Amino acid sequence: HSDAGPTSNALSKCCSFFSLSPQVLTASLIYHKPSDVKSHLVDILRQMQSASQVEEDVSLSSTNFVGCLFTDDDLSTMFNMYDMNNTGHISKAQALNAVENLVGAEALATLDLTSYLGNGNGPVTQLHFTKACKFALNKVLSKR
């Protein structure tokens, strides 16, 4: 595309302004595959701007910071992709891999997910997986 350079430059500037991870925006583009990329990114940035004006909420009912990127259904689908045997749980390594795919390796290295994923290598339920993903996305998106 002839406008790939300016779009990329604008995306980089927006990520810096809002302290967003380019991986998070890229993941949203890959998942949603919008026909109008620029409008999709503008919508995300507008939602993030309004979300930054309210108190942080990491509860499962909150969609202020995650709703514009990933719904609970999206995170459930991701969990089910790792839970191929339908056991209702995945390994901690799988959960960490999923979070890394959402926020990037650099961001993951700065996060403490033990309250969601536990200290050991025990199984991770879908509820804890969803909470860990939302916590990670919140931290990345609200990083100042």
Side-chain angles (χ1 to χ4, degrees), residues 77-129:
T77 299
M78 181 180 278
F79 178 87
N80 290 331
M81 290 171 64
Y82 283 93
D83 182 21
M84 291 183 273
N85 295 326
N86 295 320
T87 61
H89 62 271
I90 60 176
S91 71
K92 184 176 180 179
Q94 289 173 309
L96 289 171
N97 182 264
V99 173
E100 181 179 342
N101 288 331
L102 288 174
V103 300
E106 278 185 42
L108 177 62
T110 67
L111 299 173
D112 179 10
L113 298 175
T114 55
S115 62
Y116 304 101
L117 304 180
N119 289 323
N121 291 320
V124 176
T125 65
Q126 184 171 346
L127 177 65
H128 288 108
F129 172 80

Side-chain angles (χ1 to χ4, degrees), residues 19-33:
S19 299
L20 293 174
S21 164
Q23 290 90 349
V24 172
L25 295 177
T26 302
S28 177
L29 291 174
I30 290 169
Y31 182 81
H32 293 287
K33 296 179 178 90

Side-chain angles (χ1 to χ4, degrees), residues 1 4 8 22 32 50 52 69 72 100 109-110 122 127-130 140:
H1 296 93
S8 177
H32 293 287
S50 71
S52 70
L69 300 173
D72 282 349
E100 181 179 342
T110 67
L127 177 65
H128 288 108
F129 172 80
T130 302
V140 168

